[in-house]
Amino acid sequence: MINTPIVHSGEACTKSIAAIRDTLYVLSGKWKLPIIIALKSGPSRFKDLQRQLQDITPKILSKELKELELNEFVTRTVYATSPVTVEYNLTKYSETLNKVIIEMSDWGLQHRKRMMNNSRKEKKSISLQ
Amino acid sequence: MINTPIVHSGEACTKSIAAIRDTLYVLSGKWKLPIIIALKSGPSRFKDLQRQLQDITPKILSKELKELELNEFVTRTVYATSPVTVEYNLTKYSETLNKVIIEMSDWGLQHRKRMMNNSRKEKKSISLQ
DNA sequence: TTTGTTGCTATACAAAAGGATACTGGTATC
DNA sequence: GATACCAGTATCCTTTTGTATAGCAACAAA
């Protein structure tokens, strides 16, 4: 019961929350991580990315790429071909996200498996997309 | 240049994107991870959480807690005191998120440091919250 | 000359997320 | 009796995110 109210140290916890908030802020939205992962297999052009991430509209893709550029995860290079060729590439700094990406990816995989088991056992569960 | 267009294996990449999407879906929003971290220091009551996560409105907190319950990250226990006491607690399953949380927290810390350096050097950069 | 491609931008709109504020029922305290 | 606490709900509003659709400039191919 709660006759002994828990006193939080607070400190570490608050710092951790602030740090997570920063990360969430930079990676915010549905598309930033998917774009980064798509670029992992090599530089891509605008249309390539649109095709790979099906369902993303050019407006959003453009916006997300700009933010990724500002955060120095992605570079944008224009070649004077015709029609113009624009190549997007990952930066060295984007590699610092690798561990985050791996953990999120692993977790997603195991969670999906778990959900499948749960639904076979007919337990209530939130559905995936 | 792009005379040799890169052919993506696609496979692994697509799977990874799907897995990340699942993770983003389950952890979606501004508050789920902060709530989980807040609960790491022990069970909390509704008001406690509101105080710890300052600025969260009861409506949002209530909604997020329900989703966390559905996803089996959190349990809700009601004690028949008066006024009623409701305690929120982390489940065993929530611990599977630990690695994700650690990596995101670490990344956020280093990123903030980097941003501070960048702004001292007066390079343009996206601001943190 | 028409059609197509690329890399976007512009406009309008819809949906989702989040916030502000007020309130409720039950009980305890002043 | 008035006020306050708890655990939320209810209502309304703003902001963010995302979609749909159209268009443009510069070519290139048919």
Side-chain angles (χ1 to χ4, degrees), chain B residues 56-67:
Chain B
I56 194 171
T57 58
K59 176 187 154 187
I60 301 289
L61 179 54
S62 171
K63 188 194 121 218
E64 301 288 338
L65 283 170
K66 274 174 194 159
E67 290 179 32

Side-chain angles (χ1 to χ4, degrees), chain A residues 40-57:
Chain A
K40 272 181 180 293
S41 44
S44 283
R45 296 159 65 178
F46 194 86
K47 277 277 162 176
D48 292 338
L49 284 170
Q50 246 191 104
R51 274 184 282 261
Q52 214 173 137
L53 310 161
Q54 80 251 39
D55 296 335
I56 195 171
T57 57

Side-chain angles (χ1 to χ4, degrees), chain B:
Chain B
M1 291 288 232
I2 337 147
N3 19 19
T4 51
I6 286 96
V7 179
H8 310 188
S9 82
E11 265 304 295
C13 168
T14 306
K15 271 196 180 171
S16 181
I17 289 179
I20 292 253
R21 273 213 236 250
D22 287 347
T23 305
L24 289 174
Y25 181 71
V26 168
L27 300 179
S28 67
K30 198 173 163 182
W31 295 108
K32 294 208 184 62
L33 284 173
I35 291 171
I36 289 173
I37 294 169
L39 286 173
K40 274 181 179 295
S41 44
S44 282
R45 296 161 64 178
F46 194 87
K47 275 279 161 174
D48 292 338
L49 284 170
Q50 246 190 104
R51 274 186 281 260
Q52 215 173 138
L53 311 161
Q54 81 251 41
D55 294 336
I56 194 171
T57 58
K59 176 187 154 187
I60 301 289
L61 179 54
S62 171
K63 188 194 121 218
E64 301 288 338
L65 283 170
K66 274 174 194 159
E67 290 179 32
L68 289 172
E69 239 193 298
L70 267 179
N71 277 307
E72 294 172 54
F73 296 136
V74 156
T75 57
R76 179 177 181 274
T77 316
V78 183
Y79 297 104
T81 56
S82 70
V84 147
T85 304
V86 179
E87 227 186 52
Y88 292 93
N89 220 334
L90 290 181
T91 62
K92 196 88 187 162
Y93 186 56
S94 77
E95 290 170 24
T96 59
L97 285 170
N98 282 350
K99 281 196 220 158
V100 174
I101 290 171
I102 289 169
E103 292 305 335
M104 288 183 76
S105 175
D106 285 358
W107 192 88
L109 279 176
Q110 74 79 31
H111 185 68
R112 180 171 285 266
K113 275 182 204 150
R114 180 183 144 105
M115 289 291 101
M116 311 264 265
N117 277 339
N118 271 9
S119 66
R120 261 196 282 130
K121 290 175 197 155
E122 278 164 73
K123 287 176 69 177
K124 70 180 167 220
S125 64
I126 214 169
S127 60
L128 292 171
Q129 276 166 311

